[in-house]
Amino acid sequence: MATKHSRVAARVMLAPAVILLLGWMLVPLTMTLFFSFKKYLPLRGDSMANGLDWVGFENYTRFVGSSSFWPSVQATLVIVGGVLFVTVILGIVLALLLDQPMWGQGVVRILVIAPFFVMPTVSALVWKNMFMDPVNGLLAHLWKFFGAEPLQWLSQASMPSLILIVSWQWLPFATLILLTAVQSLDSEQLEAAEMDGAPYIKRFWFIVLPHLSRAITIVILIQTIFLLSIFAEIFVTTGGAFGTKTLSYLIFQRVLESQNVGLGSAGGVYAIILANIVAIFLMRIVGKNLDA
Amino acid sequence: MGRIQLKQVKKAFGDVTVIPPLDLEIEDGEFVVFVGPSGCGKSTLLRLIAGLEDTTSGIIEIDGKDATGLPPAKRGLAMVFQSYALYPHMSVRKNIAFPMKMAGLSPEEQNRRIEAAAKALNLTDYLDRRPGQLSGGQRQRVAIGRAIVREPAAFLFDEPLSNLDAALRVGMRLEISELHKRLATTMVYVTHDQVEAMTMADKIVVLQAGVIEQVGSPLELYHSPRNRFVAGFIGSPKMNLIEGPEAAKHNAHTIGIRPEHLTVSTDSGDWHGTVGVSEHLGSDTFFHVKIDGFAEPLTVRVGGDFDLHYGDAIQLTPDPALIHKFDAKGLRIT
Amino acid sequence: MARAVTTNRKILNTAIAWGVGLVIFFPILWTILTSFKTEAQAISDPPVFLFFDWTLENYAVVQERSDYMRFLWNSVILAGVSTVLGLIIAVPAAWSMAFVPSKRTKDILLWMLSTKMLPAVGVLYPIYLLFIQLGLLDSRLGLIIVLMLINLPIIVWMLYTYFKEIPGEILEASRMDGAGLKDEILYVLTPMAVPGIASTLLLNFILAWNEAFWTLNLTAAKAAPLTAFIASYSSPEGLFFAKLSAASTMAIAPILILGWFSQKQLVRGLTFGAVK
Ligand SMILES: Nc1ncnc2c1ncn2[C@@H]1O[C@H](COP(=O)(O)OP(=O)(O)OP(=O)(O)O)[C@@H](O)[C@H]1O
Ligand SMILES: [Mg+2]
């Protein structure tokens, strides 16, 4: 549909976005790469102006060699995987529920999507203190009410707690996408299956679920993008303690808390590689799904 | 003024050549219709003239000036799309005013032209509605109104009536013809409906696979089609094409005879056969006849009602002066 | 796939759905309620739900301790300006990709999205250094640029999906009508895409409002938005539930209210334009 004029115009109009993002990606990336080969401890007087010592791959080997490295990769995968699991399953259940005829559907929908509006720092603080506090938290009261010993949520069950908090924030998103998909399902197909005598479970498994596959892919893609970089939730709740130190958080500590920029940068490069692996993997799926 | 010349114009999408180099002249004030089967490149040709597509090679001249590189906005042409392409967020008035606003006309002049166009197109009562609140025919008129007010050098129509129902289509066809008579502006009109082509055109361009098969007035095409393709394409119902021994009798590879040029009788005739499906319309009767010794059944048209039905014997006689003869390549033998 | 059902079934559906909805909403509700309690009531055992002495005292204390309006204003400016700036850059880009697609369009789009996957921590220090060099640390301008850049891929993506739904013929009609590129985008495309643009605007405003990595790490006092305001309540010493609740309510109220009033666009926007 295009002429030379419009193609030239298209290139010109696309340029600002591409150039900005390219700069946003390349400039800091190059610097990170540069630092990752240097000894750079600002607190010990290292600075760009004085020149930094070249240390080869030392930062890289030290970062991987540190006892925190593999646990952090594991923590990252557990959080991302856990939240995806919870939100997709509950999202499907909620979507099917909200699709049923009822009174006040609009209000229920608002209630369900509300957590998405809550900033991560607030939700982490509220959950940490008002719900998960072992003495005064609401959950502690609930446990005591049933005669159980209140849990030290964020230390004894740190991972599940964190997954709970983050899932609470992302459930609205998953539900909404899946609900939209459920609503676009052709009811005649379901009725035909019902006429054929297929029980609900079968109808769900063979008709509803395949219909939702594209929506599920989108949920997984978009959530993964955001979940790989969760920060505030950990920063506020455990501060990376009790096995909740994700790769991102580990790097954050190396750079800001221990002020070891070289080491942190090497970690950054690892994180970028990991993110790219996930990205390539996801983009493949989504790229295919985009055309459908 | 609206004289359009295409010189060796070619269009390819990637490796696929949709229109091989082609020459065409459209005179000022002419009503030219492009017809051809689906996918033959009619829309593409129209869009090349409009400037919505680039030519791969060749030159397009409008009023003698090279317009090949001009963007659509600068060509001074107006186009009516199959989907109408009205601006859904603007009222009818704003839709019609849009091209004038772009041209920077004064508000008074804009209003004057809007009123005139609305009156001519029976849109006065709808000027403040949105396109979404109009019927298909009304939308079509708005699209035409939007084209008229620009006072373009030529109008381009791409199957403008194909989304309308049959009755409306006839009405709009007349309206567009009348508009052409009144404005005397060049119109290029794409359709695959050959009734539209025959009734509206000064000049018909028959296309097949991007190639011009014949250019001529409707009756030229009807009376002396240049080849088998045009013979089969123009005329309704289609011309009967007969090959084999019967054609050989006329020293041709193929002979063609139009359904209305066969005489029907029950007792005498050149060709003997039986009636298959018969369609009785009152004003006309169509018979599909299986003739002994012919590979394909023939279609016959008789004026008025004719009392023959499925399985009846029938005899046909072609009017010898109206038999078309074609050689092995499909070209007309004169 | 709505179908006729019996009234009993509908009552059951309604009860379950409201129950689930309230459970999900409960943490927010509880926070808002607690913000009106005294500190003693806030930690009373057993907890009190509705029957307590409602007080506004916590809000007064929070306002006194930290200048709420300044943080709020920063949040509004940061989220608002970065989103609008992002839109201005994204509209032409999305136009290009939706209406003049080439073989590379899909790759560019996916590449843009993939920049979202770059772990922010990986580039925190370089950005920090650059900000010091450019004098952008703890400045609104610096954060606006960063927030704009991190949301740009999403804005482009969303606009792209909305634009794709607009028939190209209408844009072609405007070209025939003598519209230049600027007119085409300004007078035809943008007004037609208003619902999509509104959704994009809202969603990205919220994402920027809630962004808590860069806003926490690149600000100190001057440019700090509400994310930083609330983070200052995370230190364990002197933590009081009622005041924490009041501060939390103040931080999320603007977005909750905005969300309430623009439900329809938001629901559409929340799906990132990814499903119809
Ligand atoms: N943008 C494009 N890219 C590739 N091929 C195209 C493009 N546009 C059209 N074509 C091809 O060019 C040929 C001519 O298309 P065109 O739309 O001109 O046909 P048409 O005669 O208008 O058919 P119809 O009567 O169905 O509208 C078709 O084979 C079509 O597939
Ligand atoms: Mg066509």
Side-chain angles (χ1 to χ4, degrees):
Chain A
M1 65 162 273
T3 63
K4 236 172 276 143
H5 284 282
S6 55
R7 270 193 297 274
V8 171
R11 229 167 280 158
V12 172
M13 308 234 293
L14 191 54
V18 170
I19 291 170
L20 280 173
L21 283 174
L22 210 60
W24 171 242
M25 187 178 84
L26 287 184
V27 173
L29 212 61
T30 319
M31 289 171 75
T32 298
L33 212 57
F34 174 76
F35 293 146
S36 70
F37 292 106
K38 300 281 182 175
K39 181 170 96 54
Y40 190 1
L41 299 158
L43 290 186
R44 305 233 186 105
D46 291 344
S47 80
M48 299 270 276
N50 297 341
L52 301 168
D53 292 336
W54 174 268
V55 292
F57 282 93
E58 195 192 309
N59 287 323
Y60 285 88
T61 46
R62 265 186 58 203
F63 192 87
V64 181
S66 108
S67 59
S68 324
F69 177 71
W70 286 110
S72 76
V73 172
Q74 196 190 341
T76 309
L77 295 179
V78 169
I79 289 193
V80 174
V83 174
L84 285 179
F85 182 78
V86 173
T87 52
V88 169
I89 301 284
L90 288 184
I92 292 176
V93 173
L94 269 176
L96 292 176
L97 178 67
L98 287 181
D99 183 50
Q100 304 294 319
M102 69 177 76
W103 289 286
Q105 201 161 24
V107 183
V108 176
R109 202 173 56 186
I110 292 252
L111 294 181
V112 171
I113 61 178
F116 192 83
F117 305 148
V118 179
M119 55 179 71
T121 32
V122 168
S123 91
L125 268 181
V126 164
W127 276 100
K128 175 190 176 185
N129 294 300
M130 310 209 351
F131 287 87
M132 295 177 170
D133 186 276
V135 183
N136 292 316
L138 211 54
L139 291 175
H141 289 306
L142 196 67
W143 255 239
K144 270 184 278 177
F145 179 79
F146 286 109
E149 181 68 14
L151 274 178
Q152 304 268 347
W153 284 91
L154 285 165
S155 47
Q156 288 172 345
S158 53
M159 246 337 166
S161 305
L162 206 58
I163 291 177
L164 170 68
I165 298 174
V166 179
S167 298
W168 180 73
Q169 293 173 31
W170 281 97
L171 185 58
F173 168 70
T175 306
L176 218 57
I177 295 240
L178 292 164
L179 178 61
T180 317
V182 168
Q183 282 168 342
S184 73
L185 181 58
D186 178 13
S187 66
E188 283 183 9
Q189 238 187 50
L190 276 183
E191 278 158 14
E194 209 173 341
M195 299 291 286
D196 293 342
Y200 187 80
I201 292 289
K202 281 223 170 113
R203 272 180 275 152
F204 173 77
W205 194 257
F206 291 110
I207 297 177
V208 180
L209 209 55
H211 178 81
L212 293 184
S213 63
R214 184 176 130 83
I216 293 174
T217 318
I218 288 164
V219 170
I220 292 178
L221 168 77
I222 293 179
Q223 286 198 27
T224 306
I225 293 177
F226 284 92
L227 293 178
L228 274 177
S229 55
I230 52 167
F231 170 77
E233 292 85 343
I234 302 174
F235 181 73
V236 171
T237 54
T238 61
F242 310 113
T244 58
K245 197 180 292 169
T246 60
L247 191 54
S248 298
Y249 206 83
L250 177 66
I251 299 163
F252 171 76
Q253 285 184 330
R254 291 283 185 269
V255 174
L256 278 204
E257 289 173 14
S258 359
Q259 290 277 315
N260 190 337
V261 179
L263 191 59
S265 296
V269 174
Y270 281 121
I272 289 164
I273 292 171
L274 178 76
N276 269 301
I277 294 172
V278 178
I280 290 170
F281 180 66
L282 281 173
M283 291 301 170
R284 278 266 166 79
I285 309 175
V286 176
K288 259 187 231 135
N289 253 289
L290 272 184
D291 307 319
Chain B
M1 282 292 281
R3 186 156 174 272
I4 301 168
Q5 286 168 292
L6 309 190
K7 297 180 176 163
Q8 289 295 300
V9 167
K10 176 184 163 192
K11 178 67 186 174
F13 290 109
D15 299 337
V16 187
T17 303
V18 176
I19 295 177
L22 157 160
D23 291 296
L24 180 67
E25 296 220 2
I26 296 167
E27 298 301 332
D28 184 32
E30 236 179 354
F31 197 117
V32 176
V33 174
F34 295 168
V35 283
S38 188
C40 69
K42 305 179 295 283
S43 299
T44 307
L45 198 54
L46 197 71
R47 292 165 57 83
L48 286 173
I49 296 173
L52 294 170
E53 301 277 0
D54 281 331
T55 56
T56 306
S57 62
I59 292 171
I60 296 176
E61 286 180 6
I62 298 174
D63 288 332
K65 283 194 284 293
D66 186 354
T68 319
L70 284 184
K74 299 247 167 70
R75 294 193 182 194
L77 308 174
M79 183 150 167
V80 175
F81 293 82
Q82 181 174 356
S83 63
Y84 319 136
L86 300 179
Y87 310 121
H89 57 290
M90 299 182 197
S91 65
V92 169
R93 181 187 296 279
K94 291 234 171 83
N95 261 282
I96 298 178
F98 187 76
M100 297 187 281
K101 186 172 151 198
M102 290 297 114
L105 262 55
S106 73
E108 299 80 48
E109 178 63 11
Q110 291 189 18
N111 274 331
R112 197 185 60 72
R113 291 197 196 175
I114 291 171
E115 299 303 335
K119 199 155 150 253
L121 293 163
N122 274 327
L123 286 170
T124 312
D125 295 341
Y126 307 107
L127 279 177
D128 294 313
R129 292 210 196 162
R130 293 277 176 96
Q133 301 163 303
L134 299 178
S135 71
Q138 289 164 342
R139 282 181 213 185
Q140 188 55 263
R141 276 197 277 268
V142 177
I144 293 173
R146 193 172 64 180
I148 295 176
V149 292
R150 290 194 63 188
E151 301 183 346
F155 291 95
L156 310 177
F157 294 90
D158 192 353
E159 308 205 20
L161 307 184
S162 59
N163 283 345
L164 302 179
D165 66 39
L168 256 177
R169 200 142 56 198
V170 175
M172 282 306 295
R173 201 169 79 198
L174 291 173
E175 279 189 44
I176 293 176
S177 288
E178 207 184 297
L179 192 71
H180 177 243
K181 297 276 178 297
R182 207 178 64 220
L183 300 176
T185 308
T186 312
M187 292 191 174
V188 184
Y189 189 105
V190 165
T191 181
H192 57 243
D193 180 319
Q194 51 110 1
V195 177
E196 275 173 33
M198 295 297 284
T199 52
M200 301 171 89
D202 294 326
K203 185 157 100 186
I204 296 181
V205 177
V206 183
L207 288 161
Q208 187 195 14
V211 178
I212 297 183
E213 296 287 350
Q214 189 169 2
V215 179
S217 73
L219 289 181
E220 263 169 51
L221 266 55
Y222 178 82
H223 290 302
S224 31
R226 217 166 58 98
N227 55 32
R228 275 184 62 164
F229 177 79
V230 178
F233 199 80
I234 299 290
S236 171
K238 277 172 65 168
M239 181 189 283
N240 297 298
L241 292 168
I242 304 154
E243 293 179 4
E246 190 61 34
K249 282 187 210 161
H250 293 85
N251 295 320
H253 178 268
T254 313
I255 56 168
I257 182 80
R258 295 198 183 274
E260 53 272 38
H261 298 153
L262 286 161
T263 319
V264 175
S265 160
T266 46
D267 43 26
S268 70
D270 291 359
W271 298 333
H272 300 243
T274 39
V275 176
V277 174
S278 57
E279 297 165 322
H280 300 265
L281 302 179
S283 61
D284 290 285
T285 308
F286 297 102
F287 294 114
H288 299 272
V289 180
K290 177 89 191 77
I291 302 285
D292 311 329
F294 286 11
E296 303 280 331
L298 300 188
T299 310
V300 190
R301 172 183 186 166
V302 204
D305 199 9
F306 203 100
D307 196 24
L308 274 180
H309 295 277
Y310 186 81
D312 292 348
I314 188 171
Q315 301 192 24
L316 305 177
T317 313
D319 181 340
L322 296 174
I323 292 179
H324 304 265
K325 290 178 276 188
F326 303 100
D327 64 18
K329 284 199 203 112
L331 290 178
R332 179 182 192 81
I333 307 171
T334 40
Chain C
M1 52 187 243
R3 337 167 38 192
V5 290
T6 59
T7 311
N8 277 344
R9 180 74 194 285
K10 198 165 167 182
I11 291 173
L12 187 72
N13 288 338
T14 307
I16 298 176
W18 277 84
V20 172
L22 284 173
V23 166
I24 291 175
F25 186 70
F26 185 74
I28 297 172
L29 182 66
W30 188 246
T31 306
I32 296 173
L33 285 176
T34 307
S35 73
F36 293 107
K37 297 175 186 173
T38 63
E39 288 298 348
Q41 283 166 335
I43 54 170
S44 76
D45 186 10
V48 282
F49 195 62
L50 281 174
F51 305 101
F52 53 83
D53 309 320
W54 293 65
T55 168
L56 284 172
E57 185 195 348
N58 301 308
Y59 288 93
V61 174
V62 168
Q63 169 60 28
E64 203 174 308
R65 174 178 150 181
S66 38
D67 183 4
Y68 172 72
M69 288 316 277
R70 188 170 50 87
F71 289 101
L72 175 69
W73 184 237
N74 277 336
S75 272
V76 171
I77 293 285
L78 294 184
V81 177
S82 70
T83 306
V84 170
L85 217 57
L87 266 180
I88 293 172
I89 294 168
V91 167
W95 173 88
S96 300
M97 294 200 271
F99 298 110
V100 196
S102 72
K103 277 179 231 108
R104 280 169 306 162
T105 297
K106 216 169 87 180
D107 296 330
I108 294 177
L109 200 62
L110 289 179
W111 165 72
M112 284 188 172
L113 268 188
S114 77
T115 64
K116 277 279 327 166
M117 294 201 189
L118 277 189
V121 277
V123 293
L124 173 60
Y125 204 78
I127 296 290
Y128 183 74
L129 282 184
L130 285 175
F131 265 49
I132 293 178
Q133 285 291 313
L134 300 170
L136 287 175
L137 208 59
D138 198 21
S139 75
R140 284 188 199 146
L141 177 64
L143 268 184
I144 285 172
I145 294 172
V146 168
L147 290 177
M148 190 272 283
L149 285 169
I150 60 174
N151 281 338
L152 190 57
I154 294 191
I155 301 182
V156 172
W157 158 276
M158 287 179 69
L159 289 179
Y160 169 78
T161 57
Y162 293 130
F163 286 179
K164 284 277 276 194
E165 287 172 39
I166 291 174
E169 268 194 0
I170 295 185
L171 299 190
E172 291 182 343
S174 77
R175 269 172 240 170
M176 293 302 298
D177 282 346
L181 192 55
K182 193 192 87 215
D183 306 312
E184 175 184 328
I185 291 183
L186 225 54
Y187 298 123
V188 181
L189 177 64
T190 311
M192 281 177 71
V194 158
I197 291 177
S199 305
T200 310
L201 200 94
L202 271 165
L203 180 76
N204 284 283
F205 184 82
I206 293 175
L207 288 179
W209 184 278
N210 289 345
E211 202 289 324
F213 181 77
W214 296 107
T215 50
L216 288 181
N217 284 310
L218 294 179
T219 60
K222 265 196 358 252
L226 286 170
T227 43
F229 160 82
I230 197 71
S232 70
Y233 284 82
S234 65
S235 53
E237 71 275 6
L239 181 79
F240 297 104
F241 281 15
K243 291 186 189 61
L244 170 67
S245 297
S248 298
T249 307
M250 287 161 95
I252 61 174
I255 289 293
L256 279 179
I257 293 167
L258 181 72
W260 190 273
F261 281 116
S262 50
Q263 235 199 97
K264 220 176 101 212
Q265 283 77 14
L266 246 180
V267 166
R268 202 176 131 102
L270 254 182
T271 61
F272 289 77
V275 289
K276 265 125 229 158

